[in-house]
Amino acid sequence: MPDQKELFRKIPKVDELMDSFAERFSDVPSAVLKESVHQVLDSLRTGIKSGEVTEIPDFDTIVELTAKKVGKNTLPTLRPVINGSGIVIHTNLGRSCLSENAVKAVVGVAGAYSTLEYDVEKGARGSRHVHIEDLICSVTGAEAAMVVNNNAGAVLLILSELGKGGEVITSRGELVEIGGSFRIPEIMEACGCTLREVGATNKTHVSDYENAITERTKALLKVHTSNYRIVGFSEEVSLSDMMKLGEKYKLPVVQDLGSGCLVDLKQFGIQDEPCVQESVKAGVDIISISGDKLLGGAQAGIILGKKSYIDRLKKHPLARALRVDKMTLAALRETLYVYQDENRAKLEIPTLAMIGEKPDNLRCKAENIAEKFNDAGFKASVTKLEDQVGGGSVPNQMLDGYGVVIDSGKFSVDQLEEKLRLRQLPIIGRINKDRYILSVRTLLKNDENLIIQALKEIF
Ligand SMILES: *Cc1c(COP(=O)(O)O)cnc(C)c1O
């Protein structure tokens, strides 16, 4: 049993270690360095006390242990990953990737002053709505528009302005919960309005809405059941019937569309995902959508519809609390700009391009990547699989896709999955029937080279 006092004495001094790091980690804040040194030395002390440490490693070993700790402590928890899941709008992985131009636009305003609220022509204060309102209107056909932090915020703002102190009528089939505890009934409560549920889970008729209208009624709300579908013996009220009812009783019709689809997904073989333009055409008074789901832009909530209502929303105190940053506006502007040419949108906006990718192209991509892996000395093959749109959209339809199966060699499939995931640049794949698979639909340009690099380090 070594003398504990002797061991404690052998632990290097903090300053000694700090000195040996000064040059090596010149770009690491000294507080982070010091904390890392303390962590290593503390764990030695704890080890000595518990008897686990019976010998103090030499100075160089301690330096290397500390360097590892520094690496861990300086790694941001928010960092890029490689998405091999085949889920295009993966909410846990940040939903949509921005287009190249959108990224450039973000970078352009991020590190500089900008015209965010400055009217260059007048040399006076301007409005942050101008950067994007006309564009939203021209793409969707709406009269007016504004942008807030996210779609949950959009619904909050709309109901706070239009529903406060009264009742809002919604179908029982549409009392949606979106991931992260966004629930229509609870949102209504937070907005100071009373939810008036009508109909049954599977069927709601126009007469159900009509019978519920009283002098307390403030609005009719339709919610897109993004992440579930009621199928079988079911019926919902059409937008046009909803509009007729709204007109008859002079009540605004509000629609939370969620996904925010601007191109018809039927061309990709995807059914019943409503387009924003249809709702505008039907005359819906206020529509809200997400900026980073099917639209493929940045996190935001886009509110569009009749000018008289949007003007009221812009003046609401919550609008200030929910306003978006210049980087969001820049990203959305660039994304929406491309929608003025649908063919360009389908090519340039990653979310759309990935959803629309033809199975034949995916098979070629998978074959090329598998060949590259094989050439680099790793065993890989191609498999068919099913991908998903994700983001709580189109929950009941799969996309035909292809993946690259990587042979786990001396590791188990679970071990390989973990090794690829626990990296500075995590690689997120799938395990299916005891095979490790990367779906190629969601792999970005150059990802395969980064994966090869990772495999070389692991094997
Ligand atoms: C996704 C979704 C929301 C929430 O939108 P966020 O942009 O995530 O805040 C609200 N309503 C519906 C119908 C949705 O699909």
Side-chain angles (χ1 to χ4, degrees):
M1 186 73 189
D3 182 0
Q4 288 199 348
K5 267 190 198 149
E6 182 64 24
L7 286 175
F8 278 121
R9 210 171 315 129
K10 278 194 187 155
I11 294 177
K13 300 272 168 301
V14 173
D15 286 344
E16 260 179 282
L17 277 164
M18 287 293 283
D19 284 347
S20 70
F21 280 131
E23 241 173 78
R24 180 163 170 192
F25 291 115
S26 59
D27 58 340
V28 174
S30 59
V32 178
L33 272 187
K34 204 166 218 165
E35 175 63 21
S36 309
V37 170
H38 277 299
Q39 283 172 351
V40 169
L41 299 187
D42 282 349
S43 78
L44 277 179
R45 285 190 197 102
T46 318
I48 295 170
K49 270 185 214 151
S50 71
E52 268 166 66
V53 172
T54 53
E55 197 181 343
I56 299 296
D58 61 35
F59 189 76
D60 288 345
T61 309
I62 294 178
V63 166
E64 282 323 305
L65 280 175
T66 313
K68 256 196 193 149
K69 206 50 132 193
V70 172
K72 220 173 169 184
N73 289 343
T74 49
L75 190 62
T77 52
L78 174 60
R79 54 189 201 269
V81 304
I82 290 178
N83 177 9
S85 73
I87 300 169
V88 178
I89 308 170
H90 198 308
T91 298
N92 300 148
L93 304 184
R95 289 196 179 155
S96 288
C97 304
L98 294 178
S99 68
E100 270 176 45
N101 284 337
V103 171
K104 274 188 208 149
V106 171
V107 172
V109 295
Y113 294 108
S114 65
T115 54
L116 181 61
E117 283 189 6
Y118 186 76
D119 185 327
V120 179
E121 266 156 45
K122 293 196 185 121
R125 184 185 174 157
S127 149
R128 68 176 69 204
H129 295 299
V130 302
H131 308 298
I132 196 135
E133 182 165 11
D134 288 351
L135 202 46
I136 298 171
C137 294
S138 95
V139 171
T140 62
E143 267 176 36
M146 66 185 290
V147 178
V148 294
N149 180 59
N150 58 10
N151 189 32
V155 175
L156 189 75
L157 175 60
I158 295 166
L159 293 177
S160 296
E161 172 62 28
L162 295 183
K164 197 172 169 140
E167 290 181 353
V168 174
I169 304 176
T170 308
S171 159
R172 289 202 169 89
E174 299 175 0
L175 299 176
V176 175
E177 171 176 323
I178 306 295
S181 71
F182 171 90
R183 284 178 169 175
I184 291 295
E186 276 133 41
I187 289 283
M188 288 225 195
E189 216 178 294
C191 297
C193 56
T194 309
L195 166 67
R196 182 76 173 81
E197 303 174 26
V198 295
T201 306
N202 57 333
K203 279 202 177 195
T204 305
H205 307 284
V206 184
S207 56
D208 293 326
Y209 286 93
E210 186 156 18
N211 292 338
I213 295 175
T214 66
E215 70 278 7
R216 283 181 45 72
T217 308
K218 296 270 195 169
L220 307 175
L221 172 69
K222 224 174 149 37
V223 185
H224 175 43
T225 58
S226 310
N227 50 7
Y228 66 100
R229 293 287 186 271
I230 293 171
V231 294
F233 187 63
S234 67
E235 192 174 322
E236 63 171 309
V237 176
S238 73
L239 267 186
S240 71
D241 285 345
M242 200 82 171
M243 293 316 302
K244 277 186 208 142
L245 200 60
E247 269 157 41
K248 185 168 165 192
Y249 291 92
K250 304 254 172 310
L251 289 169
V253 174
V254 177
Q255 190 179 26
D256 173 10
L257 256 183
S259 317
C261 184
L262 292 175
V263 304
D264 193 346
L265 293 186
K266 284 197 199 77
Q267 60 189 307
F268 304 142
I270 296 169
Q271 309 301 322
D272 65 59
E273 185 61 35
C275 273
V276 180
Q277 293 91 328
E278 287 166 36
S279 295
V280 175
K281 226 183 241 163
V284 177
D285 297 286
I286 302 189
I287 300 159
S288 76
I289 57 175
S290 280
D292 55 355
K293 290 185 181 169
L294 286 168
L295 196 143
Q299 179 193 302
I302 299 177
I303 307 173
L304 53 137
K306 305 269 166 69
K307 187 169 183 312
S308 57
Y309 292 113
I310 303 286
D311 284 347
R312 280 167 62 186
L313 296 181
K314 283 178 182 166
K315 289 194 204 107
H316 194 283
L318 263 181
R320 171 65 179 79
L322 294 168
R323 80 179 185 189
V324 289
D325 175 61
K326 55 183 181 281
M327 293 185 278
T328 303
L329 286 170
L332 276 183
R333 190 268 172 196
E334 247 5 80
T335 308
L336 285 161
Y337 178 78
V338 176
Y339 272 104
Q340 295 180 107
D341 177 346
E342 188 176 311
N343 286 327
R344 241 184 97 177
K346 285 187 282 186
L347 284 175
E348 290 180 24
I349 295 170
T351 297
L352 283 187
M354 286 179 194
I355 292 170
E357 193 66 272
K358 293 201 171 59
D360 272 350
N361 290 346
L362 291 169
R363 185 173 41 78
C364 286
K365 185 173 170 185
E367 283 166 2
N368 284 335
I369 293 176
E371 196 179 311
K372 270 193 177 181
F373 287 1
N374 286 324
D375 289 348
F378 307 103
K379 264 212 222 142
S381 58
V382 172
T383 185
K384 253 182 131 150
L385 42 67
E386 286 186 328
D387 293 329
Q388 286 174 54
V389 172
S393 314
V394 214
N396 50 354
Q397 290 169 76
M398 295 291 170
L399 307 172
D400 288 334
Y402 283 87
V404 175
V405 184
I406 301 175
D407 190 303
S408 61
K410 61 184 174 193
F411 301 113
S412 73
V413 170
D414 288 332
Q415 280 172 329
L416 178 64
E417 187 277 333
E418 185 180 82
K419 281 177 188 300
L420 287 165
R421 173 163 45 82
L422 293 179
R423 296 176 58 78
Q424 190 162 344
L425 175 63
I427 299 169
I428 312 295
R430 296 198 214 173
I431 292 177
N432 187 301
K433 293 189 191 134
D434 209 35
R435 296 178 305 168
Y436 182 83
I437 310 174
L438 294 169
S439 168
V440 298
R441 184 187 300 272
T442 45
L443 294 184
L444 304 177
K445 207 164 58 185
N446 197 42
D447 274 355
E448 69 263 28
N449 294 321
L450 299 167
I451 297 165
I452 289 175
Q453 192 57 42
L455 291 172
K456 278 184 181 155
E457 285 169 33
I458 287 168
F459 284 105

